[in-house]
Structure formats: structure tokens, C-alpha cells
Amino acid sequence: MAETKNKHKIKNPFEGIIEKLFMIFENKIYLYGFFAALVVFLVIFPNTSSRFTQEIMTNLFFYVVVCLGLNIIVGYAGLLHLGYAAFFAVGAYTTGILSSRMGMDFWLTIPFSIVAAVIAGLAIGFPTLRLRGDYLAIVTLGFGEITRLTIRNLDVTGGAIGLIGIQRPEFFGITLNQISHFYYMFFILAILAIIVSYRLENSRMGRAWEYIREDEDAAAAMGINVTTSRLYAFIIGSAFGAVAGSFFAAKMTAISPDSFMFIHSVMFLMAVVLGGMGKIPGVVLGSVLVVLIPEVARGIGPYRLLIFGFLLLIIMLYRPQGIWPEKPTISTDE
Amino acid sequence: MALLQIKDLTLRFGGLCAVNALSLEIEEGSIRSLIGPNGAGKTCVFNCLTGFYKPSDGEMLFQGESLVNKKPHIITYMGMARTFQNLRLFKSMSVLENVMSGMHCRTNAAFFTTAFRTKGQREEEKHIREVAEECLDFVGILNKKHFIASNLPYGDQRKVEWARALATQPKLLLLDEPAAGLNKDEKSRLIDLMHKIRDKREVTIFLIEHDMGLVMKISEKIFVIDYGVKIAEGTAQEVRDNPKVVEAYLGKEEEEETA
Ligand SMILES: Nc1ncnc2c1ncn2[C@@H]1O[C@H](COP(=O)(O)OP(=O)(O)OP(=O)(O)O)[C@@H](O)[C@H]1O
Ligand SMILES: [Mg+2]
């Protein structure tokens, strides 16, 4: 068909490389070998690198977790979310308040942070998701700002200064206080996020999101509750963000409203969109780009946002489905 | 009691009365057709039944339960499945995935069982796949299960839609112009398939069709509507001889028969 051929007309520099990789990794032994080598490399990485590079890698893993969470909402359910940093803030502040003000153990704060995110997700999602998808973008944008202004002005959140003295988590008797500890913690979190995303994607729920994205009416006719399925995605994604926020708070030990600005929501969204919405390797690739480009381009300082803007514009114009290619498909070749 | 009862169903779009005080009954285990000229309101009747349109007036009872104000997914869950006049497949998904959608309302795995991939969840996934494959086998395209839906020839895409509807395990199947765009060969196989669905799966069939020849062959009873009003009902012979029907079609009937 002419349409499908057109789709592949525009090549990008990554595509050739990635297509070659697809061909090599068709052989499962290479694929598993590659993953094993990657994991081994990432595990021994802290022993061979500076604190600075470990910090960057930790930030990368953190981005992978957050962006995979956002991907559930944006990529899987197809809902535009412009205030994801707020859900991240809900988790960070829940842990921050419970830990610094009440002395609660870090691990115990996580269920509270999930519950807080679920409540916030329901409060935002329940009324808006019955309307058309577009409204959610506006409501989440507003929610992001309201949340930031609220935590800035409340006493319990420490106002503009924020919270300090968030306790370090303990793990089998070891207090996590080295950068390498957090490196491993976020590494494990990222792997868990990938596994959960993968399982969701290939499940009854993941398929329901895909059906809805493809054809909402047909999905409804097949017995899928469109509103509830979207709400599920919204809440699961929010909970992902909140858990990442909790770990963020534990790593930083101090948080302030400045960590949860609109620009952060934009960066998360950019990573998802750049790499490819709804595709796990795409989101990982997007996170790598969003975290590493500023580091590589440190020399040009304030102009780096300009580079992002430009990159995003090009991607949106020429490759709205993101850098990562579509999964190869079988066709009848009539 | 009839499986489906429609009483005085009325649907208005502003000044236009697309369905006008329509009453009819569908008995369990039957094959019934709804015919009428273009724009007569046939698809609107289906859209009311399946919850896509909200009727302005009237009552619809399915197994004695009212369908009024019910959402489409609830109606599917109650046991009524449909196909669309213009194919509405999940185009970029595989044939198998398309059909698996039908099992959604018969299964219930949610977040935790999926995240931890519990035994129950894995068994349910397997069950969904098996049912979908069985439905594909039933309509005769199991060998194409891994193809992307939009890459199939038109006739096969129709079969995917049928398999998908069957996967919801319906009691009543609404088919909106199932023979549109099919060739003679495919049409005769379609008739066999409809009988097979009714006899082997015990599914009642209610279809909209333009091809009079096909309608006459398949259904024991036919309802004719024009401008949303029921103008005749009866056997193929009775309907064919009804002057009102002939008038509604203005000789179009003979034209299609010879074609
Ligand atoms: N959503 C809508 N809004 C306004 N008018 C509509 C709508 N849907 C259908 N109609 C009108 O209702 C009338 C009946 O339409 P319907 O689609 O039910 O006809 P049909 O009998 O299925 O015709 P066909 O044989 O062409 O499929 C038409 O005049 C159509 O324009
Ligand atoms: Mg129609």
C-alpha cells in the first residue's frame, strides 16, 4: 500500500543503525548476550568511574523510571500530560514530610506516597477523563502549577526553602549514603520499571490501551470501558512518578519547590516523545538523549535548551512517532 | 419471550427522524434481516441497540433487560456484539491481537497480577489466546493470525471483524452489511458461515443487508424500514410481494437481483 511505503520514506540517522541492530538481534543469543554484557558493564561501572559520571548515570536511571511512568499515560493511553512533575512532587513531599518531620523509615513512606499519588490521580483524572482527551492537557498543566504554588506556600512543606533532613534509607543494615549506593538503587529501580512496563504492555490492560488508541469506538464495541482504562493508565503512571519522587527525596535529603517546575514536566515529556511514545527502548533512548546532551553540550551553557527545542521541532516535523522505529511487521506482500 | 424486543424506538437528529416508532422482536436462535433503501435508518437502529446513540424515545429489551442508557461496553458484556458497516479494525495490530480484544470483557487481570505475572494472570493470557485462535479457526483465517490487520485483503479483514465479535461470546450478533464489497464466491461462503454460527455456536443473528438475493436466502423473516418507519415484515416471499416495499425501492430490487 502506498501509505505504508510513505511512512518509511523519511530516514533518520539512527534508523539505519537501529535496523541493522534489529537484524543482528533477530538471533536471540546475540540479544541476550548483549543484555548480559550491558548489565555486567553497568554493575561494575561505579568501580571504574568518577563520582561525577556516577552522578550522571544515576540521573539517567532516574529519568528512565520517571519517563517510563509518564510513558504509561502518554504513550500507552495516548493522553497528553503537561504536569507530570507534580506527581513526582507528591511522592517526594510525602516521603519528605513523613521522614523529616515524623521520623518515619524511608521504606514505610513509599506506600503512603503511592496512596497520595493515587488520590491525586483520581482527583484529576476522574472528572477530566470522561471528557475528550485534550482537556487533560490543560487540567494537568494547571495542576502542575497549583501543586508547585501550594507546596511553596504551606508550612508543612517548608515553603520556598523546602524540606531538609530527610533520612537516608537503610538496606540490609547498610545506610545508603554514597553515590554508588544510589547508583545501584536507581539501577535496580530502572530495571524494575522496564520489567513492569514490558509486562503491562503485553497484557490485557496494555492491549486495551492500544485498542483505544487505534479506535475508541471499536474498543468500546469490544467491551472495553474506555474511561476506566484511561483512568487506570493515569493512576498507574502517577504512582510510578510518585515512587521515583520518594527515591529522589531520599537521595537528595533536601527538596524544594524548584525541583518540580514546569520545565521538568517538559523535559520528561520530551524524553518520551523524542525516543518514541509507547516504546520501551524508545523511552530509554529518549532519556539517554535528554540526560546526556546537556552534559556533552555543557560548554554552550544556556543555549542547550535551544538545542532541545530545535531537536524536538525537527523530530515532530519529520518523525512524529519518535526516533525508535516501529516494530517490524509481517505483511502479505501482495 | 423474545431475545430482543424493540418497542416504539425513536431517534431524532434535530428535525430529522432517523428512526420512527419502530417495534420488532427477534426470537432466540433465529436469523433476521433489516432492509431498506439508503439512509432508511438501519445503522441508526444498530447504534441505538449497542449504546452508541441515545434513543429519543422507546424501549429496547435484551433478555428482558433494558438497554436504554447503557454504555456500549456494558451492552457487549450483556451478550450483544456487532460489526461495523465500514470496517473498524485495529489497523496496525496483528490479526490475533484484534481478535483477543473480544475477550477483554470476559477476563479481569489488572495491575498487580500483571506486574507480578501471577499464575492466574498467565493462565488467563493463555486462555485469551486460545479463544481468539479458536474464533479465527472458526471463520477460517487462523493461518493469518500474525499478519497486520490492514495488510489483509478486504474479505479477510471482514472475517477478522467477525472473529473479533465472536470472541466476545455473544448471544446476539448484529452484522451491518456483512456482504458489502464481497464477490459472489465470498458471499456464498458467508451464508454458510452465518448458518454455522447460528447452529454450532447458538448465536442469534440480526443483519442489515443490501444484497436482496442474500437476504432472501438466509433469513426466515425480514423487516423493511423506510424513512425510519417499518413498512413491512414477513418472509422473503411476503416482503417481495408487498407493494409498499416495491414502491420504497422503486424498482431498485430487480436491478440488484440481475446484477
Ligand atoms: N450522527 C448523526 N447525526 C445526524 N444525522 C445522522 C447521524 N447518523 C445518521 N444520521 C442520518 O440518519 C439517517 C439514517 O442513517 P443510517 O446511517 O441509519 O442509514 P442506513 O439505513 O444505515 O443507510 P445505508 O444503507 O446508506 O447504510 C440518514 O439520513 C443520516 O444522514
Ligand atoms: Mg448503514
Side-chain angles (χ1 to χ4, degrees):
Chain A
M1 262 187 258
E3 255 178 77
T4 43
K5 262 180 203 150
N6 262 335
K7 229 163 87 183
H8 294 288
K9 220 172 65 183
I10 298 144
K11 290 266 173 187
N12 72 46
F14 290 96
E15 188 147 331
I17 305 169
I18 293 170
E19 258 167 22
K20 279 237 172 65
L21 286 179
F22 267 154
M23 266 155 62
I24 295 169
F25 288 142
E26 202 100 297
N27 187 337
K28 287 280 185 273
I29 296 169
Y30 288 126
L31 185 68
Y32 295 141
F34 170 76
F35 276 126
L38 186 66
V39 167
V40 168
F41 169 73
L42 290 173
V43 166
I44 57 173
F45 185 79
N47 298 321
T48 61
S49 59
S50 68
R51 290 196 41 167
F52 177 67
T53 42
Q54 284 179 48
E55 190 77 54
I56 294 172
M57 289 302 280
T58 308
N59 194 26
L60 169 60
F61 296 145
F62 160 73
Y63 254 78
V64 169
V65 178
V66 176
C67 294
L68 282 174
L70 181 59
N71 180 51
I72 295 174
I73 303 172
V74 177
Y76 294 161
L79 304 164
L80 186 53
H81 196 319
L82 294 176
Y84 198 57
F87 287 94
F88 171 56
V90 166
Y93 270 91
T94 306
T95 289
I97 291 167
L98 291 176
S99 171
S100 73
R101 297 202 189 269
M102 298 174 195
M104 193 185 271
D105 183 70
F106 168 74
W107 301 104
L108 287 181
T109 67
I110 291 179
F112 286 95
S113 122
I114 292 174
V115 169
V118 169
I119 292 170
L122 276 174
I124 298 295
F126 191 72
T128 31
L129 287 174
R130 347 185 110 238
L131 307 171
R132 280 203 30 233
D134 321 4
Y135 292 96
L136 191 76
I138 300 161
V139 173
T140 50
L141 179 67
F143 180 70
E145 284 308 284
I146 290 168
T147 306
R148 192 175 61 82
L149 291 174
T150 307
I151 55 182
R152 213 187 154 83
N153 289 298
L154 285 182
D155 280 338
V156 68
T157 55
I161 301 158
L163 290 170
I164 51 165
I166 299 163
Q167 289 169 31
R168 299 284 196 184
E170 276 197 23
F171 193 66
F172 291 113
I174 311 166
T175 306
L176 304 182
N177 52 14
Q178 306 281 312
I179 178 64
S180 60
H181 294 159
F182 288 103
Y183 174 95
Y184 286 121
M185 193 171 81
F186 277 100
F187 179 52
I188 293 168
L189 269 185
I191 289 179
L192 286 179
I194 290 172
I195 293 173
V196 171
S197 289
Y198 179 80
R199 289 183 171 178
L200 278 178
E201 194 177 302
N202 296 290
S203 75
R204 171 178 175 272
M205 274 171 98
R207 282 191 304 271
W209 294 326
E210 201 172 345
Y211 299 138
I212 293 171
R213 253 174 24 232
E214 292 254 333
D215 189 330
E216 210 176 304
D217 286 342
M222 299 323 289
I224 291 163
N225 187 339
V226 174
T227 312
T228 311
S229 297
R230 283 191 174 142
L231 195 58
Y232 257 135
F234 194 72
I235 287 170
I236 294 170
S238 303
F240 255 67
V243 171
S246 290
F247 279 90
F248 177 82
K251 172 176 176 274
M252 304 307 282
T253 70
I255 49 175
S256 77
D258 294 342
S259 309
F260 312 99
M261 304 223 286
F262 177 60
I263 184 69
H264 294 101
S265 299
V266 172
M267 291 304 240
F268 298 146
L269 192 61
M270 186 136 69
V272 175
V273 174
L274 269 182
M277 288 180 270
K279 291 169 279 191
I280 296 168
V283 174
V284 174
L285 178 66
S287 305
V288 171
L289 291 178
V290 166
V291 172
L292 294 190
I293 288 180
E295 299 304 335
V296 175
R298 213 156 250 285
I300 54 171
Y303 296 109
R304 58 192 187 186
L305 274 180
L306 203 66
I307 295 191
F308 270 132
F310 194 62
L311 203 66
L312 198 62
L313 200 68
I314 292 186
I315 296 278
M316 286 297 96
L317 279 176
Y318 292 106
R319 210 180 153 81
Q321 73 271 40
I323 294 169
W324 196 262
E326 301 294 323
K327 57 185 173 194
T329 55
I330 308 169
S331 74
T332 47
D333 286 331
E334 292 155 84
Chain B
M1 189 183 56
L3 182 65
L4 178 72
Q5 293 167 285
I6 302 179
K7 290 181 206 150
D8 297 323
L9 182 72
T10 303
L11 175 71
R12 285 186 211 97
F13 294 110
L16 176 83
C17 201
V19 182
N20 195 349
L22 179 74
S23 298
L24 56 84
E25 292 196 350
I26 310 269
E27 297 78 25
E28 188 152 6
S30 61
I31 298 181
R32 296 283 179 266
S33 304
L34 182 63
I35 65 169
N38 280 331
K42 306 180 293 294
T43 302
C44 285
V45 172
F46 274 21
N47 281 336
C48 287
L49 285 171
T50 50
F52 283 94
Y53 289 166
K54 201 170 166 295
S56 317
D57 205 359
E59 180 61 287
M60 304 172 290
L61 298 174
F62 180 61
Q63 296 180 301
E65 209 179 321
S66 175
L67 298 173
V68 178
N69 286 333
K70 289 218 163 61
K71 289 256 179 72
H73 67 96
I74 300 285
I75 292 170
T76 306
Y77 179 77
M78 287 166 69
M80 183 159 23
R82 72 172 291 180
T83 64
F84 292 90
Q85 182 167 358
N86 307 308
L87 284 172
R88 298 286 289 268
L89 291 178
F90 307 115
K91 290 197 185 70
S92 61
M93 298 174 82
S94 78
V95 168
L96 186 65
E97 283 173 318
N98 263 277
V99 180
M100 284 161 85
S101 68
M103 279 297 284
H104 189 90
C105 61
R106 306 285 170 225
T107 48
N108 46 40
F111 179 73
F112 283 103
T113 51
T114 305
F116 292 104
R117 201 162 267 188
T118 58
K119 192 154 174 273
Q121 192 260 353
R122 276 173 301 166
E123 272 165 12
E124 192 183 272
E125 279 292 303
K126 201 168 143 241
H127 177 58
I128 293 173
R129 190 172 285 265
E130 279 166 4
V131 171
E133 285 177 350
E134 187 272 323
C135 292
L136 280 170
D137 195 30
F138 193 86
V139 301
I141 49 167
L142 182 58
N143 56 340
K144 297 189 176 161
K145 66 178 177 180
H146 292 306
F147 287 75
I148 295 301
S150 59
N151 289 343
L152 291 184
Y154 185 80
D156 284 346
Q157 293 196 22
R158 285 238 162 236
K159 286 185 190 159
V160 177
E161 229 191 16
W162 286 54
R164 192 174 72 169
L166 288 177
T168 67
Q169 297 161 14
K171 294 205 175 61
L172 176 64
L173 187 56
L174 306 180
L175 303 167
D176 198 343
E177 304 201 14
L182 299 187
N183 62 35
K184 224 177 187 152
D185 222 32
E186 288 172 319
K187 276 182 190 171
S188 76
R189 261 177 286 152
L190 185 85
I191 295 175
D192 294 341
L193 186 58
M194 273 195 243
H195 280 129
K196 212 170 96 181
I197 289 174
R198 197 258 309 260
D199 300 337
K200 291 218 175 114
R201 299 184 89 98
E202 294 171 356
V203 177
T204 309
I205 295 177
F206 187 24
L207 71 143
I208 293 174
E209 191 43 70
H210 267 304
D211 185 326
M212 295 296 277
L214 189 135
V215 169
M216 303 277 171
K217 258 183 235 156
I218 187 118
S219 44
E220 301 96 13
K221 195 168 169 188
I222 298 166
F223 305 100
V224 190
I225 62 171
D226 192 18
Y227 294 107
V229 181
K230 186 168 78 181
I231 55 171
E233 83 175 81
T235 63
Q237 198 58 47
E238 285 164 5
V239 165
R240 199 203 292 259
D241 297 339
N242 189 317
K244 274 191 192 163
V245 178
V246 177
E247 194 191 307
Y249 276 90
L250 286 173
K252 201 167 158 235
E253 190 182 324
E254 286 123 52
E255 189 186 295
E256 280 195 25
E257 285 238 286
T258 51

